[in-house]
Amino acid sequence: MSETVENVFGKVIGADPAPLGLAGFAFTTFLLSFINAGLIPSSGVNVVLPLAFAYGGLAQLITGSWEMRRGNTFGFTAFTSYGSFWMFYALMVLFVDLHIITSLPAIAVGWALILWGIFTLYMWGGAMMASVSLNLTFLFLFLAFFMLGMGAIYSSTVLTHAGGYLGILTALFAAYTSFAIIINSMKPGTIPVGPGLFRKN
């Protein structure tokens, strides 16, 4: 991979941008999941909105662009897509508040979440090859999207709360992976993340 980056851009980009993207994803997901789980009142969405723009959205989009430069197709696709998801979420809430959108049909919101779950399901295949912690991040994210989508479609508080708790687990594994990459960049092998499947080494 480093040879490809060096040939195209003339130098090797040393820093790994993934911890930034994972942290942006994790801590935005934590806050929204606390609301979905019923641990924080729904009015907390007003705090999620700027965080979704600044950290969940912008930070992941920046990460995605650097992953592209490093030649990491999986990282580029994942971070750019989930950064875009947070932009989508923030714009949706903002447009409703500004009355640009008059209503959000629950069935449409539910299917949007399920479609994101389908995207996450096939990205999970790539995550399996990376590490156990990333594998679990994508697995629980898929389950969270599916549960939240079904909760929206059927107007079920129970399903939405379950999706919120699954989101908390997702964020926990994403934050752990971010932390591990940072620490291991300073002292390799300090924090275990578990081996990926089908890896050569």
Side-chain angles (χ1 to χ4, degrees):
M1 181 184 297
S2 61
E3 290 180 358
T4 301
V5 174
E6 185 172 7
N7 288 338
V8 175
F9 297 102
K11 63 179 179 178
V12 176
I13 301 170
D16 188 347
L20 169 63
L22 285 165
F25 171 81
F27 290 99
T28 311
T29 301
F30 266 130
L31 188 56
L32 182 58
S33 295
F34 291 153
I35 296 170
N36 288 332
L39 303 176
I40 293 178
S42 59
S43 58
V45 167
N46 294 326
V47 181
V48 177
L49 186 63
L51 186 63
F53 271 121
Y55 205 29
L58 183 59
Q60 285 200 89
L61 291 176
I62 292 171
T63 300
S65 69
W66 281 101
E67 289 286 17
M68 181 272 291
R69 293 193 65 183
R70 287 164 59 89
N72 185 347
T73 301
F74 176 84
F76 165 65
T77 304
F79 288 120
T80 304
S81 295
Y82 293 114
S84 298
F85 167 80
W86 282 114
M87 290 291 189
F88 153 74
Y89 171 81
L91 287 171
M92 185 170 62
V93 174
L94 182 62
F95 286 170
V96 170
D97 287 346
L98 295 176
H99 304 291
I100 296 173
I101 297 175
T102 56
S103 66
L104 293 174
I107 192 168
V109 173
W111 275 106
L113 292 170
I114 289 173
L115 288 172
W116 275 101
I118 292 171
F119 169 75
T120 301
L121 181 61
Y122 77 70
M123 291 299 289
W124 180 36
M128 287 183 184
M129 302 180 191
S131 66
V132 172
S133 62
L134 199 63
N135 182 336
L136 293 173
T137 299
F138 277 81
L139 172 60
F140 282 106
L141 180 58
F142 158 67
L143 295 173
F145 271 133
F146 183 79
M147 199 68 68
L148 291 170
M150 297 299 288
I153 290 172
Y154 292 104
S155 300
S156 170
T157 301
V158 172
L159 291 175
T160 298
H161 283 179
Y165 282 106
L166 287 167
I168 292 171
L169 288 173
T170 300
L172 182 64
F173 284 114
Y176 175 85
T177 306
S178 174
F179 170 70
I181 295 171
I182 291 170
I183 299 302
N184 290 340
S185 71
M186 300 174 181
K187 188 176 180 181
T190 303
I191 307 295
V193 293
L197 301 177
F198 315 122
R199 298 186 71 174
K200 293 180 180 179
N201 298 323

